[in-house]
Amino acid sequence: MHFSRRVSHPEPNAISLAVQRRRAQGKTLVNISDSNPTRHGLGKGNSPYQANPRGSLEARRALAKYLSARDSREVNPDNLYLLSSTSQGYSWLMKLLCDFGEAVLSPTPGYPLIETLADLENVQVVPYRYAWLGRKWELDPLSLIASEGFAGEQGGRTSGTVSAQVSDERLPGRESGGCMLGRGSRGSRSLIGRGSDRSLLGRESDRDSVSAVSDSDGFPVMQAFENASTSTPNDSARSSGARALIVINPSNPTGAYLDSCERKTLLNYCARHSLPLIADEVFYDFPLPAAPSSRARLAGCPQNLTFALDGLSKSLSAPGYKIAWLEVSGPDSLVAEAKTRLDIIADAYLPFSEILAGQLPGFLEEIPRQVALTRGRCAANLEVLEDLVAADSTSPVTVLEPQGGWNVLLRFPSHVDEDELVKQLLDEQGIYLQPGYFFDLPFNGAISLSLLLEADSFRENAVKVLRSIKALS
């Protein structure tokens, strides 16, 4: 298994060892270099602040208890990391697994956020594909083989998407709107002007050096001094050129879950190439009637090193609730190695807010009710849409029935220009929606609708969309 050289392997230095020996002897230690004000009668809070790179242990225990009950398995709180967002999780994992210019495999069609995050980490994104086969989206296993060549041939690139499902040549008259070929223009996440709670100097950490992890008294217990990773890729990983495989379960906006066969295919592929699995399962709790009975979470997968991402922004249908988590699972030795390195990354960015962590147990109690409300809304709106299409025997529209999630794709004759349709709806009806090429769909003539709208609004505007498509067909 390959870990990047960005994160050096931690070994205790001479001073740390001396501190450990003195403490083991039961002797008093006074850290006169300590920069944590809460240990010296200053600052807010009822007890001294103690940084934990994985987040508050009490909060992680509450989360582990919730996940254990939800998934009917035993979740170890030591394998959980609290995050401010799943995007942060992706960023950490790319640092953990990829050196500059290396690649991750990512599914297409899909939401374009992964490419943006990879660009910021100087990592390539190599697509593997799902195909619409008349009734559902299915994994194309041959695209995994094809992706090996792309990843291996592009070793000189520093970032960006190696290949896109839909290119500008296939979409005449469209501008890519960014560095990702075939993607439509999308909103940007500016790094400038973002609020910061620390500076490089005088940060409110209790670390004594940038790469040190400290104990409860502020003494560094380990420092990273080795210059290179102790792990080297094996021949198969080296030949594939990729360093991780990303799975979105279910995908957005296609709503496709992994079925048992696809799950086996991906796990076998990862095993052959010594690839860790990054499983984004934020929409997993929102199945729709077409969801396969064989669907299963990848979180907690024991046979392959797996990093599962989930969070409250979807579970509570509340994007402003910035609490997410990452669970590490797999063979014990690989999990231990991964967590040792992840601890350094997490500590470098300072751990999760204790204030938010204290509220996590209450938030977890709200999840079942909020999930039920959102699932009911999505299922009801999907049924309305399908009834509207079925009621018109001459409708050129096909509903690409999603298996889960919050969105639905509509397909129509490819001679109907997506941009023309979107602009017409915007200018004449005041309706905005997303064209299919935003998500690298493998065909022209598609749009994405949200199933979250209130019932009356969804029906009224869906009727207008269907009429506009028919008029242009």
Side-chain angles (χ1 to χ4, degrees):
M1 189 66 65
H2 170 88
F3 294 97
S4 81
R5 292 186 296 274
R6 304 194 206 193
V7 184
S8 46
H9 199 291
E11 294 290 342
N13 61 24
I15 295 175
S16 299
L17 291 172
V19 168
Q20 292 175 17
R21 285 195 299 269
R22 186 173 180 87
R23 175 168 289 133
Q25 296 167 0
K27 296 180 179 179
T28 301
L29 292 173
V30 177
N31 185 359
I32 201 169
S33 297
D34 186 24
S35 60
N36 182 350
T38 65
R39 280 198 286 264
H40 308 291
L42 298 172
K44 302 187 71 172
N46 298 324
S47 59
Y49 170 71
Q50 171 56 34
N52 187 320
R54 302 177 194 181
S56 159
L57 178 56
E58 182 179 355
R60 285 186 288 120
R61 284 173 174 163
L63 177 59
K65 181 179 179 181
Y66 166 78
L67 296 176
S68 297
R70 184 194 70 179
D71 299 347
S72 300
R73 61 185 176 91
E74 191 66 30
V75 177
N76 185 348
D78 286 339
N79 291 340
L80 297 172
Y81 288 78
L82 298 181
L83 310 167
S84 61
S85 66
T86 53
S87 295
Q88 183 184 59
Y90 277 117
S91 176
W92 288 6
L93 293 173
M94 289 179 189
K95 289 178 175 69
L96 174 71
L97 302 170
C98 299
D99 289 311
F100 295 129
E102 293 184 331
V104 295
L105 303 179
S106 181
T108 186
Y111 192 72
L113 177 61
I114 292 172
E115 286 91 337
T116 301
L117 296 172
D119 277 343
L120 293 173
E121 300 297 334
N122 291 306
V123 169
Q124 300 177 51
V125 176
V126 178
Y128 67 94
R129 296 171 180 169
Y130 282 76
W132 177 258
L133 298 182
R135 297 184 61 185
K136 68 187 186 76
W137 292 94
E138 293 189 13
L139 172 68
D140 176 7
L142 294 179
S143 68
L144 288 170
I145 299 173
S147 69
E148 297 174 21
F150 280 120
E153 293 168 6
Q154 299 294 325
R157 290 173 56 96
T158 57
S159 64
T161 305
V162 173
S163 174
Q165 181 80 1
V166 181
S167 66
D168 287 340
E169 288 75 21
R170 291 182 61 188
L171 298 168
R174 299 203 175 112
E175 298 176 356
S176 65
C179 61
M180 281 68 76
L181 295 177
R183 299 278 186 180
S185 176
R186 66 186 75 89
S188 63
R189 298 185 174 194
S190 174
L191 297 178
I192 300 173
R194 184 178 288 182
S196 174
D197 60 354
R198 61 187 182 273
S199 63
L200 292 177
L201 297 176
R203 60 171 65 176
E204 68 278 21
S205 169
D206 59 354
R207 300 192 297 273
D208 285 14
S209 72
V210 172
S211 58
V213 179
S214 304
D215 64 14
S216 59
D217 297 317
F219 291 97
V221 296
M222 62 174 63
Q223 280 187 297
F225 285 126
E226 296 187 6
N227 293 324
S229 168
T230 58
S231 301
T232 56
N234 63 19
D235 289 341
S236 60
R238 190 180 291 115
S239 67
S240 75
R243 296 307 184 200
L245 187 145
I246 296 172
V247 174
I248 317 294
N249 183 36
S251 180
N252 178 35
T254 65
Y257 284 98
L258 285 180
D259 63 26
S260 57
C261 182
E262 291 166 338
R263 176 189 173 96
K264 182 177 180 180
T265 297
L266 291 177
L267 288 174
N268 287 342
Y269 182 87
C270 287
R272 285 199 307 273
H273 295 282
S274 295
L275 291 179
L277 192 64
I278 300 174
D280 184 334
E281 300 187 311
V282 296
F283 285 110
Y284 189 89
D285 282 331
F286 299 94
L288 291 164
S293 59
S294 63
R295 69 189 179 98
R297 292 184 189 271
L298 288 161
C301 176
Q303 65 264 46
N304 196 83
L305 181 60
T306 301
F307 304 94
L309 297 168
D310 207 339
L312 293 186
S313 66
K314 301 300 185 295
S315 296
L316 290 180
S317 302
Y321 280 55
K322 295 300 182 184
I323 301 179
W325 55 86
L326 184 160
E327 181 182 357
V328 188
S329 65
D332 290 344
S333 60
L334 291 177
V335 169
E337 176 81 355
K339 290 193 299 184
T340 297
R341 296 171 181 276
L342 265 178
D343 283 348
I344 297 173
I345 296 172
D347 189 66
Y349 285 89
L350 300 182
F352 188 77
S353 164
E354 286 193 338
I355 297 173
L356 283 177
Q359 299 181 61
L360 181 57
F363 293 152
L364 294 173
E365 292 178 1
E366 287 291 314
I367 289 178
R369 185 178 71 87
Q370 291 294 341
V371 165
L373 288 173
T374 303
R375 282 178 58 180
R377 172 74 60 80
C378 291
N381 282 340
L382 177 60
E383 183 178 4
V384 166
L385 180 63
E386 291 175 331
D387 288 345
L388 289 173
V389 172
D392 184 355
S393 61
T394 61
S395 174
V397 174
T398 300
V399 178
L400 305 187
E401 186 174 12
Q403 297 174 341
W406 296 354
N407 298 285
V408 59
L409 294 170
L410 298 184
R411 189 175 184 180
F412 43 84
S414 60
H415 68 265
V416 176
D417 184 83
E418 293 171 21
D419 278 346
E420 181 183 356
L421 172 64
V422 171
K423 290 176 182 177
Q424 178 177 304
L425 284 166
L426 187 63
D427 293 340
E428 298 179 6
Q429 305 286 351
I431 296 173
Y432 171 74
L433 48 75
Q434 294 172 326
Y437 68 85
F438 272 23
F439 309 101
D440 281 354
L441 291 180
F443 42 74
N444 295 334
I447 54 174
S448 174
L449 303 184
S450 169
L451 295 170
L452 295 174
L453 279 68
E454 294 189 42
D456 290 345
S457 177
F458 182 83
R459 173 182 284 274
E460 175 186 351
N461 289 286
V463 168
K464 295 176 181 178
V465 169
L466 296 175
R467 286 174 179 169
S468 294
I469 294 173
K470 188 173 183 178
L472 290 172
S473 297

